[in-house]
Amino acid sequence: DAGVIQSPRHEVTEMGQEVTLRCKPISGHNSLFWYRQTMMRGLELLIYFNNNVPIDDSGMPEDRFSAKMPNASFSTLKIQPSEPRDSAVYFCASSFQGYNSPLHFGNGTRLTVT
Amino acid sequence: DAKTTQPTSMDCAEGRAANLPCNHSTISGNEYVYWYRQIHSQGPQYIIHGLKNNETNEMASLIITEDRKSSTLILPHATLRDTAVYYCIVTSNFGNEKLTFGTGTRLTIIP
């Protein structure tokens, strides 16, 4: 089992550009989570999918952020347009059954917006 | 509202047992205690969880007091690779209650 796979590991972009982060959850897991981590705010949940359906997107900062899960093996988090304050490490996690089972995290994407 | 209280940092000598405390005095009957850790530049890693009985796995032991108001994570023989931030999280296993990470305890293993 390769674990949760995120790409890219690092992304540097200029303000105003579109950024797309990708995640492949563990096979057989039906829940997927996107978290963001900064020094100031720690780990924050952005959005939670269950069976490819968004269940809780209350953590998505604003309309510039969107997330999709077109199938059970792939999810994207898109920021358009990006801003310097979006600089953070973005983690994807998956679990067998929502919060009823442990979350398995990827190694994150470090985003820098200049 | 923080459901848990943990020391900001701790040191432990390599080879000794690391005991990480967590207070959760407002825990309710259906809430579990979860422990995760985050090694530098990696995503959080699940360690162990429990409801009221003590639990042990290949990574650690979890000791929960009888009144469930506090718990201790024990790493029996700490190695340098155990240096990380350790998060104690209280959450219900029902519904869609968020898994909320606090600031955790930064554990440093000293050679």
Side-chain angles (χ1 to χ4, degrees):
Chain A
D1 185 355
V4 175
I5 300 173
Q6 292 187 245
S7 64
R9 283 300 310 272
H10 302 274
E11 177 79 39
V12 180
T13 191
E14 292 183 347
M15 182 174 62
Q17 296 298 306
E18 177 180 295
V19 175
T20 300
L21 311 181
R22 297 173 175 79
C23 176
K24 177 178 168 55
I26 292 173
S27 177
H29 284 188
N30 70 357
S31 301
L32 184 139
F33 310 79
W34 282 100
Y35 278 82
R36 177 173 68 176
Q37 186 172 35
T38 61
M39 288 292 292
M40 291 296 293
R41 301 173 68 91
L43 269 162
E44 304 173 280
L45 176 70
L46 299 178
I47 188 168
Y48 156 39
F49 290 88
N50 195 50
N51 291 322
N52 312 337
V53 175
I55 302 299
D56 179 2
D57 65 355
S58 60
M60 295 288 265
E62 49 199 270
D63 292 345
R64 298 184 298 106
F65 284 69
S66 63
K68 293 183 179 180
M69 192 164 186
N71 57 62
S73 59
F74 184 66
S75 176
T76 59
L77 178 67
K78 185 177 293 186
I79 308 172
Q80 166 64 21
S82 58
E83 296 182 3
R85 61 189 167 127
D86 301 330
S87 297
V89 181
Y90 291 80
F91 290 103
C92 176
S94 69
S95 76
F96 180 69
Q97 186 67 39
Y99 292 114
N100 295 343
S101 56
L103 272 61
H104 297 260
F105 285 78
N107 279 329
T109 294
R110 180 174 295 277
L111 173 65
T112 303
V113 183
T114 59
Chain B
D1 287 339
K3 287 188 174 183
T4 64
T5 305
Q6 298 178 252
T8 303
S9 63
M10 292 180 63
D11 292 340
C12 178
E14 186 179 16
R16 304 294 292 270
N19 296 279
L20 291 92
C22 181
N23 287 324
H24 30 80
S25 58
T26 61
I27 192 170
S28 60
N30 66 350
E31 289 184 315
Y32 286 71
V33 180
Y34 277 79
W35 284 84
Y36 285 76
R37 74 180 182 183
Q38 188 171 22
I39 296 169
H40 183 61
S41 297
Q42 297 183 21
Q45 177 190 23
Y46 165 79
I47 302 173
I48 198 167
H49 75 284
L51 183 63
K52 55 182 178 180
N53 296 323
N54 297 338
E55 302 288 343
T56 296
N57 63 20
E58 65 279 4
M59 290 182 67
S61 295
L62 174 61
I63 307 299
I64 303 174
T65 58
E66 194 169 338
D67 63 6
R68 301 185 69 236
K69 293 185 177 182
S70 65
S71 61
T72 301
L73 178 74
I74 301 172
L75 308 178
H77 305 287
T79 71
L80 298 179
R81 289 176 295 178
D82 293 321
T83 293
V85 177
Y86 287 76
Y87 298 98
C88 170
I89 302 167
V90 164
T91 186
S92 167
N93 263 15
F94 300 98
N96 293 316
E97 182 178 349
K98 291 181 184 180
L99 200 68
T100 303
F101 290 80
T103 54
T105 296
R106 182 172 298 279
L107 175 67
T108 302
I109 306 302
I110 310 297

